[in-house]
Amino acid sequence: GENVEQHPSTLSVQEGDSAVIKCTYSDSASNYFPWYKQELGKRPQLIIDIRSNVGEKKDQRIAVTLNKTAKHFSLHITETQPEDSAVYFCAASDNNNDMRFGAGTRLTVKP
Amino acid sequence: ETGVTQSPTHLIKTRGQQVTLRCSSQSGHNTVSWYQQALGQGPQFIFQYYREEENGRGNFPPRFSGLQFPNYSSELNVNALELDDSALYLCASSFGTDTQYFGPGTRLTVL
């Protein structure tokens, strides 16, 4: 089955700096890669997703890149703000079934 | 917030008991996926229901079972509870292979 690895496990940045979180996956059949943000005690919330027919997707300060050959994808957050502080999870699946999540990255943005 | 709801919010059970968790999917969605999230970890896929049929299952024993009803709401049943079953149980609804949206979760504690 699919195995998703996520790095780093913790990330601390200064407000206004960029943050990058990287994930690798093992199953070449995976074609859907969402990123979720989870604040303490709350549900995971989708922040951006990408499908395998696209190499990059951007939504304001958030971007995701996908390298299918290398089986890795990354989340980029620019101009970070304190409210970006949360745990971020990457995930991979084949057509949104049997979705496998990474272990999470705790992002802290210092004011 | 998504239109996905879960009940109950919290639940305390003792080892060996059985539990039923409920999930109401967002309007227009026909697919429900269930996840177990242990403290400090990413969600682990339990199974998915599509149009009332199980449509994929993760590495969970048969004592984890589910149902989906004609209105696409769903139940997760866990028999013979073990201490390690203590976790946040999340459901997510989607329209087929489209984006999954999570409910707020049920926190299960097994004593």
Side-chain angles (χ1 to χ4, degrees):
Chain A
E2 176 65 273
N3 182 45
V4 178
E5 294 194 0
Q6 182 171 349
H7 300 280
S9 56
T10 60
L11 180 59
S12 182
V13 299
Q14 209 64 39
E15 183 178 0
D17 286 351
S18 295
V20 180
I21 303 171
K22 298 182 179 182
C23 289
T24 60
Y25 63 99
S26 60
D27 189 350
S28 56
S30 290
N31 56 16
Y32 177 63
F33 308 91
W35 287 86
Y36 287 88
K37 174 184 180 182
Q38 189 174 30
E39 297 177 58
L40 192 62
K42 297 196 174 181
R43 74 186 78 193
Q45 290 193 304
L46 181 79
I47 54 171
I48 197 167
D49 57 5
I50 192 168
R51 295 191 184 266
S52 60
N53 57 346
V54 176
E56 184 173 358
K57 185 176 178 181
K58 192 172 181 181
D59 182 5
Q60 299 182 354
R61 296 186 298 110
I62 295 172
V64 58
T65 58
L66 171 65
N67 184 327
K68 281 202 68 181
T69 303
K71 296 199 189 74
H72 65 71
F73 56 113
S74 301
L75 176 71
H76 304 252
I77 306 174
T78 59
E79 300 171 25
T80 54
Q81 302 165 1
E83 48 266 39
D84 293 330
S85 296
V87 179
Y88 290 80
F89 292 100
C90 63
S93 73
D94 178 4
N95 283 323
N96 217 1
N97 194 354
D98 193 4
M99 190 174 300
R100 302 300 174 107
F101 284 76
T105 296
R106 182 173 298 281
L107 174 64
T108 303
V109 180
K110 300 178 186 175
Chain B
E1 294 296 337
T2 70
V4 185
T5 61
Q6 291 185 243
S7 63
T9 306
H10 297 91
L11 204 50
I12 298 175
K13 292 284 188 178
T14 56
R15 199 168 42 180
Q17 285 189 310
Q18 178 265 343
V19 68
T20 297
L21 311 182
R22 295 178 175 83
C23 173
S24 290
S25 57
Q26 187 167 308
S27 177
H29 287 182
N30 56 12
T31 304
V32 173
S33 302
W34 285 93
Y35 298 86
Q36 180 194 70
Q37 186 176 26
L39 204 59
Q41 296 182 23
Q44 301 282 320
F45 176 72
I46 303 175
F47 43 57
Q48 182 182 85
Y49 278 84
Y50 171 66
R51 291 186 170 184
E52 303 178 60
E53 298 282 334
E54 189 178 287
N55 186 43
R57 189 179 182 93
N59 299 323
F60 281 81
R63 60 189 185 84
F64 286 78
S65 62
L67 282 174
Q68 187 178 33
F69 300 98
N71 67 355
Y72 303 124
S73 66
S74 178
E75 284 183 356
L76 164 65
N77 299 290
V78 187
N79 294 323
L81 283 167
E82 301 177 0
L83 297 179
D84 284 349
D85 295 334
S86 294
L88 180 68
Y89 287 85
L90 295 160
C91 74
S93 78
S94 62
F95 180 72
T97 60
D98 287 349
T99 302
Q100 294 187 18
Y101 294 94
F102 282 88
T106 294
R107 172 78 56 192
L108 173 65
T109 302
V110 182
L111 302 176

